[in-house]
Amino acid sequence: MTNEELLEAAAEAATRSYAPYSSFRVGAAVLAADGTVYTGANVENAAYGSSVCAEASAISAAVSAGVRKIDVVAAVCLDGEFCSPCGNCRQIMQEFFVETVVMHGPDGAPDVLPLSDLLPMSFGPEALG
Ligand code: THU
């Protein structure tokens, strides 16, 4: 599964976004360590704080299927040019040892970043022994 293919899967998932409040549709695709791909979209709520981001949604799908190690997360937004994962999603990625985050950079080309660049000096499961 290439990064381009993951971005395509994320874009497809974004078409199923439920975003009536922000009209900002986001999709995510995660590549589990066993090679399986799981997708998710943002799911908003009238109580805004109860909304779920696309990345959290895709990671929840993977973890609910039994995955405990995710290698790559790709995120695509259909209604904006740049879709960098929010801080809460970065922390959720850290829990499942995500190594790489893929998104469309400002020039439209895939941007591939280590999670450690997006979340330096992170707090993770290892801290709790
Ligand atoms: N959103 C995501 O799904 N992922 C991100 O990385 C950033 C923001 C969603 C949350 C909300 O539904 C909408 O985008 C606007 O913030």
Side-chain angles (χ1 to χ4, degrees):
M1 173 67 57
T2 65
N3 289 335
E4 290 280 9
E5 287 170 331
L6 273 182
L7 285 169
E8 279 170 25
E12 206 259 333
T15 65
R16 294 186 293 276
S17 155
Y18 176 73
Y21 305 107
S22 71
S23 297
F24 193 79
R25 294 168 296 169
V26 186
V30 308
L31 178 65
D34 69 359
T36 310
V37 175
Y38 298 86
T39 61
N42 55 331
V43 180
E44 297 186 346
N45 194 284
Y48 299 162
S50 298
S51 299
V52 180
C53 284
E55 297 89 331
S57 179
I59 291 170
S60 293
V63 173
S64 300
V67 168
R68 295 293 182 267
K69 169 72 179 81
I70 293 170
D71 290 342
V72 186
V73 174
V76 168
C77 51
L78 300 183
D79 307 299
E81 286 172 8
F82 190 51
C83 196
S84 187
C86 78
N88 188 51
C89 286
R90 294 176 194 201
Q91 183 66 33
I92 293 170
M93 291 178 202
Q94 179 69 18
E95 185 72 21
F96 299 102
F97 312 104
V98 170
E99 290 157 27
T100 308
V101 178
V102 184
M103 58 191 121
H104 286 125
D107 61 355
D111 237 350
V112 182
L113 294 157
L115 180 60
S116 55
D117 279 13
L118 295 172
L119 193 70
M121 293 185 69
S122 60
F123 183 85
E126 67 288 345
L128 300 179

